[in-house]
Amino acid sequence: DVDLKNRTILVRSTKTKKFRAVPIHPKLAPYLKKFEFFSLRGMNSALRRACADMTTKVSPYVFRHVFATQVLSKTANLRAVQVLLGHSRSTMTERYAHVLDAQLREAVEKL
């Protein structure tokens, strides 16, 4: 469910049957105005239609990987990414959040 008043997406009916609220970035909110509820199936279908002419495979899980990587690159906080993705173990989050070469160079330069 999209809650624009509180700028959150309520994720429910996950594998673990837990609920979590994921903050919506202010720039994304205007694009979500037409959605009060959407399902993974509906999102997959809309995504396929929107990206039909692309050669790269796009799915909600690709967006999860990109989202996790971007949050990690901006905050360097794996725990925040873990909570946002709803993972109980950080090892699963590590599969989603990819370390970028630039981050590795920056980490070494800070020594």
Side-chain angles (χ1 to χ4, degrees):
D1 293 323
V2 177
D3 180 359
L4 291 176
K5 181 180 177 187
N6 295 312
R7 285 195 8 228
T8 60
I9 296 175
L10 178 62
V11 180
R12 56 190 171 126
S13 299
T14 62
K15 289 186 268 187
T16 60
K17 306 297 183 205
K18 293 180 182 177
F19 294 85
R20 71 182 183 281
V22 178
I24 297 172
H25 192 281
K27 290 181 181 178
L28 181 61
Y31 297 100
L32 295 176
K33 283 185 179 180
K34 62 182 174 180
F35 297 106
E36 289 184 36
F37 175 82
F38 59 90
S39 66
L40 185 58
R41 176 182 282 181
M43 188 170 34
N44 262 325
S45 177
L47 194 55
R48 263 190 245 101
R49 284 192 309 272
C51 302
D53 60 338
M54 294 178 63
T55 56
T56 304
K57 182 181 177 184
V58 179
S59 71
Y61 293 101
V62 169
F63 282 117
R64 281 177 64 87
H65 283 268
V66 171
F67 174 76
T69 302
Q70 289 296 311
V71 171
L72 186 61
S73 74
K74 302 292 185 206
T75 66
N77 187 338
L78 188 64
R79 177 69 179 137
V81 177
Q82 180 183 350
V83 170
L84 288 168
L85 295 181
H87 293 152
S88 58
R89 296 179 180 209
S90 62
T91 54
M92 179 57 81
T93 306
E94 290 168 6
R95 294 179 189 175
Y96 277 88
H98 306 285
V99 178
L100 304 174
D101 289 340
Q103 291 172 299
L104 296 175
R105 280 192 291 282
E106 184 180 331
V108 170
E109 289 171 3
K110 287 184 176 181
L111 293 175

